[in-house]
Amino acid sequence: MTNATHDQTVSLRKPVADNIIARFSQALVAFAERWFPDAYVFVLIAVIAVAIGAILHGGSPLAVSRAFGDGFWNLIPFTMQMALVAIGGYVVAMSPPVAAVLARLASVPKTGRGAVVFVGVLSIFLSLLNWGLSLIFSGLLVREIARRTDIRLDYRAAGAAGYLGLGCGFTLGITSSAAQLQANAGSIPASLLPITGVIGFSETILTWQNMVTVVMVTVVSAAICYFTTPAPDQARTAEDLGVALGDDRIEARKPARPGDWLEFSPLLTILIALLAAGWLWQTFQSGNPLITLSGLNTYNFVFLILGIVLHWRPRSLIESFSKAMPSVSGVLLQFPFYAGIAQILTKVPNSSGTTLSDTIAHWFVGASSNSTVFSFLVGIYSALLGFFVPSAGGKWIIEAPYIMKAANDIGAHLGWTVMVYNIAETLPNFINPFWMLPLLGILGLKSKDLIGYTSVQFFIHFPIVMLLAAILMATFTYHPPILP
């Protein structure tokens, strides 16, 4: 090969970016591919960083160690729930009827760049209904689009678009843990109820201000997807990344021996569906079905039963369940470490009896001079803590006593304070791979493959939504807590 030919080949391999956002995104992609560790290494670094912070804050090393061990298994029920979210979504999506829907949706985009935008917008829309559905369905849709041979899809950019619902959408919809908790008097801790009162959805997710936020977030996200997606000649497909897509659908077979008859018969499926129908009827007739579905246990039960019915024959379900298992390995390994982080932050006091989480919260709240500044600082704090405790509901319990008391003192609208928390706390998900793990398992990628693209979303979204949340706070009028 001549020097001229070699130079030409190298130039063709270099990313060609025709706008500043594309250049920025490709720089972050290159940085992440070279320097960003595997998600497991990331969580280990986070544990050490929080442990050192707690010790420097005045906590004893022994107390930090004890908190890490005591909290390590606190998320076991949640870990199992999250694993079943991924498995249930996978099982349903691999059933013949839903696989046909996925194939139809995958045929809609006409270009690779259009496909990335399409996946991103759909991911946000689905997350407003249920974050688990958004995460799993979007990942499987990306795989389906990637099988097309008539367009060249950048598999990394599409995967990152499938994560948008978890990065900036789901806490703005009915699956907002904080909004749900505050709307139900029975769910609010006794110590918190006098501070917040009951805050209905009409003051949180159903406000016109939240609708404006949803539209803004969606438009900004779609624009970022469009401008950061590499041109077709620079796109890296699933094949380029060494991801074997194959065909996820279950091959129809017939029983090979008499003992296999029940595995290939719908008889047991029908009986199980009838048994579950009574529970489902009683559960969903008691309230808003979408809110009821947002509970993880209910969600997983519905999706597992739905998967059983859609596969119709036990053998088909068994095979799809087995195929889903690799998608949850990261969840099972890493979630306990995040539980340890949360315990260190909230349960290791210094000599004054305050934890690291308390100190951070008091600092931000004490710096507020009015409701607008308060809104901005609460957003920053929620995003900062969310980087280390990526659990919207659990983290709200940590923050709410301090933030809502300050909101009352300053005269900030309580419902919108909840939404400021919701708007900000998901943004770190773009960098912290905690919620990304089930999606990575489905896509067959590592966090470094997506972080370059999702980081761009974080850096652009953060100032926009923080400013928007602060401005919208001024449109509300404060009223004291409404007690039941």
Side-chain angles (χ1 to χ4, degrees):
M1 179 183 291
T2 65
N3 289 336
T5 303
H6 177 267
D7 292 341
Q8 184 179 14
T9 302
V10 170
S11 66
L12 288 174
R13 290 176 181 171
K14 291 180 180 179
V16 178
D18 55 2
N19 62 79
I20 188 171
I21 297 179
R23 290 194 293 272
F24 179 52
S25 71
Q26 290 306 306
L28 287 178
V29 168
F31 176 84
E33 288 182 341
R34 183 173 178 83
W35 293 105
F36 201 85
D38 184 82
Y40 174 63
V41 175
F42 184 94
V43 71
L44 296 183
I45 294 173
V47 169
I48 299 302
V50 171
I52 292 174
I55 293 172
L56 294 177
H57 182 252
S60 74
L62 185 60
V64 171
S65 177
R66 182 176 180 84
F68 176 65
D70 288 346
F72 197 78
W73 301 116
N74 284 351
L75 286 181
I76 285 299
F78 179 67
T79 301
M80 186 63 176
Q81 289 172 327
M82 275 296 294
L84 286 173
V85 165
I87 292 172
Y90 198 105
V91 165
V92 168
M94 287 304 97
S95 66
V98 179
V101 173
L102 276 171
R104 185 177 293 274
L105 287 175
S107 67
V108 172
K110 302 303 180 186
T111 65
R113 178 170 285 173
V116 173
V117 175
F118 178 71
V119 170
V121 172
L122 183 63
S123 174
I124 293 175
F125 172 75
L126 291 176
S127 74
L128 299 175
L129 302 176
N130 192 284
W131 60 265
L133 177 63
S134 170
L135 191 67
I136 305 306
F137 193 89
S138 298
L140 292 168
L141 178 59
V142 169
R143 285 178 61 89
E144 192 66 33
I145 297 174
R147 293 189 180 96
R148 290 177 54 180
T149 57
D150 58 325
I151 62 174
R152 188 168 174 81
L153 178 73
D154 189 287
Y155 196 60
R156 305 162 302 168
Y163 189 58
L164 285 177
L166 271 291
C168 61
F170 82 99
T171 53
L172 304 180
I174 62 170
T175 51
S176 165
S177 300
Q180 286 186 29
L181 182 144
Q182 291 296 159
N184 297 279
S187 302
I188 304 173
S191 60
L192 183 60
L193 184 59
I195 301 173
T196 67
V198 177
I199 306 172
F201 282 175
S202 62
E203 296 193 85
T204 55
I205 63 174
L206 297 183
T207 59
W208 67 262
Q209 290 89 344
N210 188 50
M211 302 305 160
V212 169
T213 305
V214 169
V215 171
M216 176 65 76
V217 162
T218 304
V219 170
V220 170
S221 298
I224 296 171
C225 285
Y226 181 85
F227 287 111
T228 58
T229 300
D233 59 333
Q234 298 297 327
R236 296 188 65 186
T237 65
E239 182 180 1
D240 295 333
L241 296 168
V243 177
L245 296 174
D247 190 346
D248 295 322
R249 289 173 293 187
I250 306 301
E251 182 181 355
R253 293 190 295 149
K254 294 182 178 180
R257 60 192 182 90
D260 295 336
W261 181 78
L262 283 175
E263 295 181 17
F264 291 86
S265 168
L267 176 61
L268 294 178
T269 296
I270 294 171
L271 294 176
I272 291 295
L274 290 173
L275 182 63
W279 183 88
L280 292 171
W281 170 257
Q282 294 180 62
T283 300
F284 280 89
Q285 72 173 354
S286 61
N288 186 313
L290 292 178
I291 296 176
T292 301
L293 184 61
S294 65
L296 277 179
N297 286 337
T298 303
Y299 173 87
N300 283 329
F301 185 80
V302 169
F303 264 71
L304 185 57
I305 295 299
L306 184 60
I308 290 173
V309 173
L310 290 174
H311 280 277
W312 200 234
R313 291 170 174 79
R315 171 47 53 188
S316 177
L317 180 86
I318 292 169
E319 293 184 13
S320 67
F321 205 94
S322 298
K323 284 190 174 186
M325 291 307 295
S327 69
V328 301
S329 59
V331 172
L332 298 176
L333 174 63
Q334 295 173 47
F335 274 28
F337 288 92
Y338 283 106
I341 289 174
Q343 191 83 355
I344 294 172
L345 275 171
T346 60
K347 300 298 182 182
V348 179
N350 59 17
S351 58
S352 301
T354 59
T355 65
L356 183 57
S357 174
D358 295 340
T359 298
I360 296 172
H362 282 303
W363 188 90
F364 277 107
V365 170
S368 304
S369 58
N370 55 57
S371 62
T372 301
V373 174
F374 171 76
S375 173
F376 191 75
L377 292 180
V378 166
I380 293 176
Y381 165 65
S382 296
L384 177 65
L385 187 58
F387 190 79
F388 296 102
V389 186
S391 175
K395 189 162 72 67
W396 175 246
I397 298 299
I398 297 170
E399 294 187 41
Y402 308 102
I403 289 178
M404 298 300 270
K405 183 179 184 302
N408 282 310
D409 294 340
I410 294 170
H413 187 266
L414 298 179
W416 191 246
T417 299
V418 174
M419 292 312 299
V420 171
Y421 165 85
N422 281 334
I423 292 168
E425 79 91 19
T426 59
L427 293 177
N429 291 345
F430 281 130
I431 299 176
N432 187 330
F434 178 84
W435 296 102
M436 197 181 286
L437 297 174
L439 179 64
L440 293 173
I442 290 172
L443 296 175
L445 295 175
K446 294 185 177 181
S447 55
K448 67 180 180 63
D449 297 314
L450 305 189
I451 289 294
Y453 292 98
T454 58
S455 295
V456 179
Q457 295 280 355
F458 173 82
F459 287 120
I460 295 178
H461 269 289
F462 189 80
I464 293 175
V465 298
M466 288 297 93
L467 182 60
L468 180 63
I471 291 173
L472 290 175
M473 176 64 85
T475 67
F476 287 92
T477 301
Y478 170 80
H479 64 77
I482 300 174
L483 299 176

